[in-house]
Amino acid sequence: MFNVKAYSAASPTSRLASNKIKRRDPANHDVQIEILFCGICHSDLHQVRNEWSGVMPTVYPCVPGHEIVGRVTKVGSAVKKFKPGDLAAVGCMVDSDGTCPQCREGLEQFCPNLVLTYNGTDAHLGGVTYGGYSESVVVQERFVLHVPANLSPAGAAPLLCAGITTYSPMRHWAVTKGQRVGVVGLGGLGHMGVKFAHALGAHTVVFTTSPSKKDDALRLGADEVVISRNANEMKKHAGTLDFILDAVAADHDINAYISLLRRDGTLVLVGAPEKPLAVPAFGLIMGRRSLAGSPIGGIAETQEMLDFCGQHNLTADVEVIPIQKVNEAYERLLKSDVKYRFSIDMASLKSE
Ligand SMILES: NC(=O)c1ccc[n+]([C@@H]2O[C@H](COP(=O)([O-])OP(=O)(O)OC[C@H]3O[C@@H](n4cnc5c(N)ncnc54)[C@H](OP(=O)(O)O)[C@@H]3O)[C@@H](O)[C@H]2O)c1
Ligand SMILES: [Zn+2]
Ligand SMILES: [Zn+2]
């Protein structure tokens, strides 16, 4: 066991502050990684503030962070795919049973014994797992990913959650050229959704509440941008979209989007607001529309997504911040004031 510096929250109302946590010494199958960058996902904020108490109550202290890119510093004797010096990444999961039908299909995200990167059950040290707002992490090889060398580490970090969470449903629902795809909410997830929909060849329509993001949306790959608070603009798209990715972090009118689906279209929720959304039955019945959800993605698909990003030279648009600005960043996230993901430069933790 060894001590590392980290930033943690002591309660739902505490600011994140510098702290020390313990990491295990790497066992045979483990990879030890010095963290270079960690993205700030809105899920970090939901979790720190215990907004998902009904589904996954937060255990304190909470060290968030599941968009991790770093340098391998040590490997266990049985590790085959990594060596010290390699660039490596860790996303939202650090363990699963490896034997259930979900794991056998490479869908670890659905494993009943899944261990999340933070606030999961730590089978090694007891208590809960601690995430990437820290100097280093020790993770078994099965959950460590390779980062293509052409991607910048700061911009690649958000791929580990925002990237896979938007890539996976587009692959599952087979988004392809010729389709009309809507992306709702131009935040960390949404802006990756736009990049992927565009790269997959779909006609991409962004729905945003922020008029100031219009030019960016077009630059990111959108073919059209709709200011969602403008009912007339919304109406023009009624019944036209094959697929909608909803990446909104707060309460919103879901029916306004269901009505934009064409017959047999699908709206996938990836955004996970604190409160339930009101779904009118007729919005779905008329048009045989589907409302679905999707969590992150499996490890094999996460590697596929990273390789896809390597081939297409895709990374997140990031604002790099020192860890000391994390509380300010959370407040800005709540105001949709980030273009389009904060990526924490973990070197800043050394001065704590
Ligand atoms: N399913 C999964 O596995 C998974 C994985 C990661 C994250 N998530 C969840 O996905 C959601 C988005 O995460 P994120 O990190 O992308 O968050 P984010 O960067 O804060 O982006 C959320 C976007 O939602 C829009 N928005 C915010 N408040 C709104 C409101 N009141 N009404 C309408 N739109 C609003 C804003 O876009 P505009 O300014 O363009 O309107 C904002 O940029 C969070 O709930 C997060 O927990 C789910
Ligand atoms: Zn996340
Ligand atoms: Zn399993």
Side-chain angles (χ1 to χ4, degrees):
M1 244 171 12
F2 56 101
N3 286 323
V4 304
K5 293 176 188 171
Y7 254 57
S8 65
S11 80
T13 51
S14 315
R15 288 165 65 81
L16 289 148
S18 178
N19 206 336
K20 286 245 171 65
I21 56 167
K22 292 196 185 323
R23 296 293 191 194
R24 67 179 185 266
D25 293 316
N28 291 351
H29 291 278
D30 285 339
V31 177
Q32 184 176 322
I33 299 166
E34 181 198 355
I35 301 174
L36 299 175
F37 291 94
C38 184
I40 297 182
C41 180
H42 206 112
S43 302
D44 300 349
L45 190 154
H46 289 305
Q47 194 82 66
V48 158
R49 301 195 177 173
N50 204 15
E51 289 174 358
W52 294 336
S53 57
V55 192
M56 40 178 114
T58 307
V59 177
Y60 295 93
C62 175
V63 177
H66 56 207
E67 295 184 333
I68 299 168
V69 167
R71 194 66 70 187
V72 175
T73 50
K74 227 186 217 182
V75 296
S77 59
V79 169
K80 295 204 170 64
K81 294 188 298 185
F82 295 91
K83 57 179 190 319
D86 285 353
L87 203 57
V90 177
C92 302
M93 311 181 284
V94 290
D95 202 359
S96 72
D97 56 31
T99 55
C100 75
Q102 318 282 359
C103 285
R104 286 209 300 267
E105 275 194 64
L107 299 170
E108 297 87 357
Q109 72 273 35
F110 302 110
C111 175
N113 297 306
L114 173 68
V115 180
L116 293 172
T117 303
Y118 61 86
N119 204 50
T121 306
D122 188 333
H124 305 269
L125 299 178
V128 290
T129 51
Y130 295 131
Y133 297 7
S134 59
E135 284 178 301
S136 70
V137 66
V138 177
V139 179
Q140 62 164 297
E141 180 179 22
R142 199 156 61 87
F143 288 87
V144 183
L145 296 130
H146 290 283
V147 182
N150 57 318
L151 302 182
S152 87
L159 300 177
L160 277 299
C161 178
I164 185 60
T165 303
T166 51
Y167 180 83
S168 181
M170 290 198 194
R171 298 289 287 167
H172 182 76
W173 276 276
V175 164
T176 183
K177 202 171 159 63
Q179 287 189 330
R180 295 177 68 86
V181 167
V183 176
V184 187
L186 199 64
L189 266 60
H191 95 291
M192 286 312 306
V194 174
K195 292 188 184 203
F196 287 133
H198 177 72
L200 292 167
H203 181 91
T204 308
V205 187
V206 166
F207 296 88
T208 178
T209 59
S210 309
S212 65
K213 295 182 182 172
K214 202 163 183 172
D215 290 345
D216 280 343
L218 295 169
R219 176 180 56 78
L220 294 165
D223 296 287
E224 295 178 70
V225 186
V226 175
I227 307 304
S228 53
R229 298 202 202 279
N230 181 328
N232 282 336
E233 275 194 56
M234 290 289 281
K235 239 190 236 159
K236 284 188 203 148
H237 294 269
T240 64
L241 298 170
D242 296 284
F243 177 87
I244 299 176
L245 187 84
D246 181 334
V248 174
D251 192 26
H252 59 292
D253 176 11
I254 188 81
N255 193 40
Y257 297 101
I258 290 174
S259 65
L260 303 188
L261 291 171
R262 63 167 67 209
R263 193 201 74 214
D264 292 327
T266 301
L267 186 153
V268 177
L269 290 172
V270 288
E274 181 179 7
K275 297 199 178 72
L277 299 163
V279 179
F282 273 103
L284 295 171
I285 292 170
M286 310 307 280
R288 198 165 56 189
R289 297 158 169 146
S290 300
L291 175 62
S294 182
I296 47 175
I299 290 296
E301 194 175 50
T302 305
Q303 189 62 61
E304 176 191 310
M305 177 275 309
L306 286 166
D307 296 343
F308 180 91
C309 288
Q311 281 150 21
H312 291 81
N313 228 335
L314 291 182
T315 49
D317 286 28
V318 290
E319 178 177 339
V320 174
I321 58 162
I323 187 85
Q324 291 77 10
K325 289 233 163 123
V326 67
N327 292 297
E328 198 182 303
Y330 276 27
E331 293 312 315
R332 285 180 52 196
L333 205 53
L334 284 172
K335 291 188 240 153
S336 307
D337 174 25
V338 51
K339 294 185 171 171
Y340 279 86
R341 197 57 141 186
F342 292 112
S343 187
I344 307 169
D345 180 354
M346 272 316 151
S348 58
L349 196 49
K350 292 192 201 308
S351 65
E352 291 285 335

